[in-house]
Amino acid sequence: MKQGKIFGLIGEKLGHSLSGQIHSRLFAALGAEAHYDLIEIPRGEFADTFPRLLTEYDGLNVTIPYKRAVLPYLESLAPEAAEYGAVNTIDCVARTGYNTDVTGFLRSLGERAESLAGDVLLLGAGGAARMMAKEALRRCRSLTVAVRDPGSENAASLCQELAGAARFVPLGQIEGRYDALLNATPVGMWPGVEGCPVDELVIARCGFVFDAIYNPAETRLLRAARALGIPALGGMGMLVLQAAAAQEIWLGQPVDGDLTNRLIRSLEGTSHAG
Ligand code: NAP
């Protein structure tokens, strides 16, 4: 029988997830007696499986495609989870849903979050892009969202949700200068590591580049930005800091910044391909 508290991640495909490794290392460093499972749920089995997990686990993380599907099963939502209509962390005892992706995003930017106050170029219109668009709109002078197909379901629904507050353009037709470029597409992610969502002429017109991709730690986009002398940040910080924020909720104790910095550096130095 397992000792201590049990936590886990639910999602459809978790073969390449780093969450088990990140949470186990954080639990160990915090001296918490806790266990973390990766729980794959096929799409058709969610409604039968999830209510049982809610009673068996102390806390759960949620990833694609269930961040919205869990909402009807919860009794309350933290403000960010309610605003985004998406939950990635659950306190199963209180049946409360949280969104720590946004915490991880903002904490990982650190002082670079100031660049969100200027002209922001966001690539993509999926789940991560939606969160970044809303966070950018709280602060920015202008938001341009570049998508591969402005007529796609994702682009149309984000455009409707932002109600004219952002300009939508095709990825191949980006013009102008930007204080921040935020990549929320999977272009450049392992195994397609040679992919880059925009060409160098676009990158050169940006003051800062953030790539949500964390595998590889240095994408082609980040490499191109750094070669041009542009400050650039990958997604490993966001991934580790959203996990740390989940543990703060579950364990009720703060996670030290030195600990998460060491973990980010260690994971960025490890190859996760395959
Ligand atoms: P998602 O919901 O599937 O959205 C992906 C977006 O990228 C969609 O708008 C999609 O376009 C676009 N896209 C996909 N393939 C493309 C291509 N070949 N060319 C141009 N655009 C393309 O995914 P997500 O959850 O937002 O995740 C996006 C990326 O962020 C992933 O790489 C993920 O690993 C990363 N992420 C990182 C963290 C972190 O903690 N670091 C957290 C969340 C996500 P359509 O709208 O046309 O389908």
Side-chain angles (χ1 to χ4, degrees):
M1 195 171 134
K2 285 167 189 163
Q3 298 291 311
K5 295 191 169 189
I6 56 166
F7 301 95
L9 169 67
I10 63 164
E12 187 183 21
K13 291 187 188 124
L14 303 176
H16 297 297
S17 175
L18 293 180
S19 290
Q21 202 184 131
I22 293 172
H23 280 285
S24 299
R25 287 168 73 170
L26 289 174
F27 284 136
L30 294 171
E33 201 179 333
H35 178 87
Y36 194 90
D37 292 327
L38 296 182
I39 310 155
E40 287 193 347
I41 309 177
R43 274 183 203 241
E45 294 174 19
F46 177 79
D48 287 339
T49 311
F50 183 64
R52 177 176 53 77
L53 298 177
L54 259 185
T55 62
E56 288 177 359
Y57 282 79
D58 293 285
L60 288 167
N61 284 134
V62 186
T63 189
I64 295 170
Y66 302 126
K67 290 187 182 189
R68 283 175 182 272
V70 299
L71 293 173
Y73 300 87
L74 302 175
E75 283 170 19
S76 58
L77 294 177
E80 302 81 16
E83 176 170 1
Y84 294 117
V87 161
N88 80 319
T89 298
I90 298 172
D91 174 342
C92 298
V93 181
R95 302 240 163 163
T96 302
Y98 298 82
N99 188 312
T100 68
D101 284 333
V102 59
T103 319
F105 171 60
L106 293 174
R107 286 187 185 169
S108 79
L109 289 184
E111 59 191 31
R112 292 280 170 206
E114 284 172 16
S115 65
L116 298 184
D119 299 312
V120 177
L121 171 63
L122 172 65
L123 313 181
R130 192 162 160 267
M131 178 274 283
M132 290 180 200
K134 292 197 167 187
E135 286 306 313
L137 280 175
R138 283 183 207 282
R139 306 160 170 84
C140 70
R141 187 163 46 224
S142 75
L143 174 64
T144 301
V145 182
V147 291
R148 61 176 164 185
D149 172 11
S152 75
E153 202 180 320
N154 274 336
S157 87
L158 184 62
C159 185
Q160 188 182 19
E161 210 170 315
L162 301 183
R167 193 166 64 97
F168 280 70
V169 298
L171 268 170
Q173 292 175 30
I174 301 168
E175 290 175 353
R177 296 193 162 273
Y178 299 92
D179 297 286
L181 183 165
L182 311 174
N183 178 36
T185 78
V187 182
M189 187 167 79
W190 189 89
V193 294
E194 283 313 312
C196 190
V198 286
D199 69 33
E200 215 170 273
L201 292 172
V202 174
I203 302 168
R205 289 186 265 114
C206 298
F208 164 66
V209 172
F210 173 79
D211 195 337
I213 293 172
Y214 51 84
N215 185 13
E218 186 173 64
T219 57
R220 217 180 119 194
L221 171 64
L222 294 179
R223 212 161 50 239
R226 286 172 184 151
L228 291 163
I230 297 166
L233 185 69
M236 191 64 84
M238 176 175 167
L239 184 72
V240 168
L241 292 168
Q242 63 77 26
Q247 292 215 2
E248 289 180 341
I249 290 163
W250 292 333
L251 304 177
Q253 66 182 91
V255 179
D256 182 62
D258 286 341
L259 169 61
T260 49
N261 284 341
R262 280 199 306 276
L263 185 50
I264 293 163
R265 279 198 300 272
S266 147
L267 289 165
E268 282 181 337
T270 312
S271 170
H272 304 290

